[in-house]
Amino acid sequence: MVVPVIDFSKLDGAERAETMAQIADGCENWGFFQLVNHGIPLELLDRVKKVCSESYRLREAAFRVSEPVRTLEALVEAERRGEAVAPVDDMDWEDIFYLHDDNQWPSDPPAFKETMREYRAELKKLAERVMEAMDENLGLDKGRMKAAFTGDGLHAPFFGTKVSHYPPCPRPDLVTGLRAHTDAGGVILLFQDDKVGGLEVLKDGEWLDVQPLADAIVVNTGDQVEVLSNGRYRSAWHRVLPMRNGNRRSIASFYNPAFEAAIAPAVSEGGAAASAYPEFVFGDYMDVYSKHKFEAKEPRFEAVKAPKTASA
């Protein structure tokens, strides 16, 4: 099985119905799909690759003395002494930093800020087009998902970008690249390395590669889309395996609800299906998620089910 690859340009042509069906299949049966011909200029993607790779070179020395590296070195040394060692299961072999509208961005390389600002603007537009396709496939009014994420326009959605690198790992049997999890938020758009693999998605009990594909944008659905679709779309478990060779670049952008937004299953026109999920405030869900990210998602939904009581 191969993660679906969808030509997004066909959404506006004679093959629209087939393309919408492919998006529906990706959302319903995978929780992951890849978009090609998505409208983001390839020249911009080339600049993004360049500035993010340069930014890691400036951070590489710090990663070499980071906790994951020190921990792995200690395990290898213990093994050399003949001691039994077990793989680390509470940290990731990953260098990361985050970009959003209100935090400080790297000033080196000089082109980083301008390039990533332009890229994020394009990704945000693409995310909203994908969400509109989801609306239509779910039988919802156009813009329904965005309205849920913004409290009917009262709040701005949270749009964050995680810039990650997974450097070569000498002992991938003793550490994970990124532990298995589902994403907390809405629609995630990933510009992944086109040469170094390692990303896997869980499909029907089997871990499958999300194959590197030049200039594609990988889309996956988060927990909030699962709730809004009343379980028709599922957030998929995924992980990153460390690699002995190659430094994997990963730039993931998250189109999430505002922290103040109330999230609940959306009911399509004429639909009356019983809600399988509670209504909750996204910020409350994130409080739970931050403590239980790498655990099953169902208890997270249960934890925010009951309304919080006001303090006396």
Side-chain angles (χ1 to χ4, degrees):
M1 290 188 289
V2 177
V3 174
V5 178
I6 301 170
D7 185 341
F8 203 56
S9 67
K10 293 183 178 180
L11 199 63
D12 299 321
E15 299 179 56
R16 174 179 172 78
E18 180 182 346
T19 305
M20 289 292 290
Q22 291 172 343
I23 294 171
D25 173 66
C27 292
E28 293 180 17
N29 298 316
W30 288 83
F32 264 75
F33 53 93
Q34 302 208 54
L35 296 181
V36 296
N37 298 323
H38 38 62
I40 300 174
L42 300 186
E43 175 272 336
L44 175 57
L45 294 180
D46 285 341
R47 284 192 282 130
V48 168
K49 287 190 282 189
K50 184 180 183 204
V51 298
C52 289
S53 294
E54 289 177 356
S55 74
Y56 175 73
R57 280 195 286 271
L58 298 171
R59 299 167 58 86
E60 186 173 9
F63 179 78
R64 288 176 180 169
V65 295
S66 66
E67 184 178 2
V69 173
R70 296 196 310 269
T71 300
L72 184 59
E73 289 174 344
L75 285 175
V76 171
E77 182 58 33
E79 193 177 59
R80 286 180 184 142
R81 294 194 300 266
E83 300 175 18
V85 299
V88 177
D89 60 4
D90 61 352
M91 66 177 60
D92 304 305
W93 189 265
E94 178 185 33
D95 175 80
I96 59 173
F97 62 92
Y98 293 92
L99 308 174
H100 51 80
D101 291 340
D102 301 321
N103 71 336
Q104 186 173 356
W105 294 18
S107 54
D108 272 333
F112 183 88
K113 289 183 180 179
E114 178 183 353
T115 299
M116 294 307 292
R117 192 174 291 117
E118 184 179 348
Y119 172 73
R120 277 167 46 84
E122 291 288 339
L123 259 288
K124 194 172 183 180
K125 289 188 290 186
L126 178 59
E128 291 177 350
R129 289 195 67 200
V130 170
M131 289 162 60
E132 288 177 357
M134 291 179 181
D135 287 334
E136 185 174 336
N137 276 331
L138 289 168
L140 303 173
D141 292 336
K142 182 177 180 179
R144 176 67 179 85
M145 195 171 292
K146 181 179 179 181
F149 283 10
T150 62
D152 289 322
L154 291 176
H155 311 286
F158 181 83
F159 188 70
T161 298
K162 175 187 173 186
V163 180
S164 306
H165 283 83
Y166 300 89
C169 179
R171 289 294 302 274
D173 56 317
L174 291 178
V175 68
T176 59
L178 178 60
R179 287 162 283 173
H181 64 287
T182 66
D183 287 326
V187 176
I188 299 87
L189 298 99
L190 169 67
F191 182 34
Q192 70 164 342
D193 201 289
D194 55 9
K195 294 184 176 63
V196 183
L199 176 62
E200 295 186 332
V201 59
L202 188 63
K203 164 75 169 163
D204 299 331
E206 182 181 358
W207 287 104
L208 302 173
D209 290 333
V210 181
Q211 64 275 20
L213 185 60
D215 299 321
I217 298 295
V218 180
V219 178
N220 72 281
T221 49
D223 295 346
Q224 308 313 303
V225 170
E226 178 171 329
V227 173
L228 285 166
S229 71
N230 207 17
R232 185 168 160 188
Y233 296 168
R234 295 278 180 165
S235 57
W237 284 85
H238 53 286
R239 68 185 183 185
V240 177
L241 301 181
M243 296 291 172
R244 286 185 178 275
N245 301 305
N247 182 14
R248 180 178 180 270
R249 180 187 60 255
S250 168
I251 306 159
S253 295
F254 303 80
Y255 194 111
N256 289 352
F259 283 86
E260 303 88 347
I263 302 298
V267 180
S268 61
E269 294 180 15
S275 294
Y277 300 84
E279 179 175 352
F280 53 85
V281 174
F282 179 60
D284 292 341
Y285 186 82
M286 285 304 298
D287 287 343
V288 175
Y289 182 86
S290 65
K291 301 179 182 71
H292 303 283
K293 174 178 178 177
F294 302 107
E295 301 170 20
K297 59 188 167 183
E298 290 78 13
R300 299 197 295 258
F301 294 134
E302 191 66 27
V304 292
K305 188 172 186 178
K308 292 187 174 181
T309 57
S311 58

